[in-house]
Amino acid sequence: MHKPRARTPDIASLVLAWYDRHHRRLPWRSPPGTPPPEPYRVWLSEVMLQQTTVPAVKPYFETFLSRWPSVHDLAAAPVEQVMEAWAGLGYYARARNLHKCAKAVSEQHGGIFPASEAGLLALPGIGPYTAAAIAAIAFDEPAAVLDGNIERVLARVFAVETPLPQARTELRKLAAQVTPQKRPGDFAQAMMDLGATVCTPKSPDCLLCPLQARCEAFKRGIAAELPRKAAKAARPVRHTIAFLLQRAEDGAVLLRRRPPQGLLGGMLEVPSAPWRETPWASAEALAHAPATLDWLPLNGAAAHVFTHFELRIAALLGRIDARSAGRLDGVWQQPQEAALPTVMKKMLGLLPGDDEIRSTKNRRGGRARS
Ligand code: SF4
């Protein structure tokens, strides 16, 4: 008589057993096997985590929850306050959409998030990934979740050699195949954790991995090469000159609000010359200065990488008395207190101390006059 052969555990069972022992403790999560966290927390964390790392998100998540404990509170907040609380997290359209979505849930759904992937997808600012993640994590719907970590794990386990982004269709099908009917929310978070802590981009720790026996890339010795990525076009460079205008009496700097639409829409900015492909000469940039005065060219420079281009920043320094300052459009804030996007903080980072100003003046022997 044949002895029945032991069934090989499926991918979900292996990953869930590993998750029960090795899950990350994160402020927006419930421990494995316990009731799901509130949809508001899941939604907030998932929107924040798009394009941003877990350590960067944690303090923002906690600030948002303490200022706006419910979706009704967030919906009732002025959008400018939400944008300012978001400052530094990047991709500011997300903050604007977050507020729109809070309003929709508060006003059209009585403050209750729709409990299905399709219902969530209909809300502003919620794309396929976020809808699937919220449906799985908050409502235990077996939705196929595919973030960057999960893509990498699946590409390796199934040795998918097609480069990203073309491989995404195949990976989505594989995600649907391996997602279990039981504990789909824990499974999605387990795959995220596995990708973040074991199956890492450059050096996967295959010896500690619960999927090693099932992993094609490990068997073939190509784990670190996957997922392949289509070659990217070189990122174009743009140039600007920032106008760092300080009020002589207290060192506050002039900031302005950007138009609501477009890059960094609605955020505070340091005035600057238009961001263009060719570098600026100081004299030429002065046509865009916020005030006519003697501007001192500074030695330092900064750079900031956006998704589609890199911005290189030079700076001019101006000082103005309080009476003249009051006649300019904009707001005056202490540089260290302003809630600003990272690129604007980098501009303010070019502000010199008094000693540096003296030595810059001596070296250059002159100022640019606008
Ligand atoms: Fe990733 Fe290695 Fe695990 Fe395969 S065995 S899933 S490559 S860590």
Side-chain angles (χ1 to χ4, degrees):
M1 210 171 97
H2 286 298
K3 243 174 128 186
R5 263 201 314 175
R7 233 176 117 240
T8 323
D10 60 18
I11 287 175
S13 311
L14 292 166
V15 174
L16 283 167
W18 173 86
Y19 183 65
D20 289 342
R21 278 173 288 129
H22 300 288
H23 59 277
R24 290 180 292 177
R25 284 173 181 77
L26 301 173
W28 44 86
R29 281 198 180 165
S30 293
T34 63
E38 270 180 59
Y40 177 58
R41 296 169 78 93
V42 178
W43 164 73
L44 192 57
S45 63
E46 285 300 333
V47 175
M48 287 182 168
L49 284 163
Q50 291 162 20
Q51 321 274 351
T52 314
T53 61
V54 165
V57 163
K58 276 185 186 170
Y60 285 89
F61 178 79
E62 275 155 9
T63 303
F64 268 66
L65 261 200
S66 70
R67 283 182 74 173
W68 301 297
S70 75
V71 72
H72 290 303
D73 299 320
L74 184 59
V79 67
E80 292 75 24
Q81 276 183 22
V82 176
M83 302 295 286
E84 277 174 29
W86 191 273
L89 259 187
Y91 299 91
Y92 293 89
R94 288 184 299 161
R96 195 167 284 284
N97 283 330
L98 183 90
H99 190 251
K100 265 195 209 151
C101 184
K103 275 181 131 30
V105 173
S106 172
E107 290 163 13
Q108 295 159 27
H109 298 269
I112 296 169
F113 279 84
S116 70
E117 192 177 354
L120 290 159
L121 204 46
L123 291 170
I126 296 195
Y129 162 73
T130 313
I134 303 171
I137 299 169
F139 299 110
D140 245 354
E141 182 179 320
V145 182
L146 195 66
D147 73 350
N149 282 322
I150 300 176
E151 272 178 6
R152 184 168 59 257
V153 175
L154 290 174
R156 288 172 174 172
V157 170
F158 293 96
V160 174
E161 301 225 24
T162 315
L164 287 168
Q166 295 93 309
R168 232 160 245 148
T169 317
E170 189 179 347
L171 292 172
R172 205 165 288 122
K173 280 190 197 141
L174 291 169
Q177 262 174 40
V178 297
T179 299
Q181 293 298 312
K182 279 192 189 155
R183 298 182 65 193
D186 280 351
F187 177 70
Q189 295 174 97
M191 290 289 276
M192 292 172 188
D193 284 11
L194 190 65
T197 61
V198 176
C199 193
T200 52
K202 294 214 173 89
S203 44
D205 210 343
C206 300
L207 297 181
L208 293 181
C209 179
L211 295 180
Q212 192 201 93
R214 303 289 307 266
C215 181
E216 259 323 292
F218 174 73
K219 273 185 218 157
R220 295 189 210 167
I222 55 169
E225 294 165 32
L226 299 182
R228 301 196 197 287
K229 292 192 180 142
K232 275 191 193 157
R235 193 179 264 120
V237 174
R238 293 190 197 164
H239 300 264
T240 189
I241 293 194
F243 297 103
L244 308 177
L245 184 54
Q246 278 194 302
R247 199 159 54 190
E249 288 81 354
D250 62 357
V253 289
L254 177 68
L255 302 171
R256 298 186 303 208
R257 182 130 347 245
R258 289 176 69 86
Q261 302 308 330
L263 187 67
L264 306 174
M267 302 300 295
L268 284 175
E269 68 168 3
V270 174
S272 64
W275 302 0
R276 68 177 197 188
E277 284 166 16
T278 45
W280 288 91
S282 297
E284 182 194 14
L286 288 175
H288 303 279
T292 302
L293 43 83
D294 287 338
W295 290 93
L296 179 69
L298 296 174
N299 281 325
H304 186 76
V305 176
F306 291 94
T307 316
H308 299 297
F309 67 94
E310 176 186 336
L311 182 66
R312 298 204 182 143
I313 305 157
L316 291 168
L317 177 70
R319 288 265 164 95
I320 193 166
D321 61 52
R323 254 184 62 191
S324 313
R327 289 197 283 269
L328 298 178
D329 285 340
V331 293
W332 293 86
Q333 291 193 8
Q334 290 299 324
Q336 61 284 6
E337 286 167 14
L340 290 172
T342 306
V343 60
M344 301 302 163
K345 284 191 179 152
K346 287 183 181 175
M347 290 183 186
L348 290 186
L350 296 173
L351 276 170
D354 286 344
D355 290 351
E356 286 172 75
I357 294 176
R358 266 192 296 279
S359 74
T360 306
K361 276 189 206 165
N362 292 341
R363 260 197 319 277
R364 302 209 172 192
R367 289 167 173 250
R369 176 88 197 165
S370 68

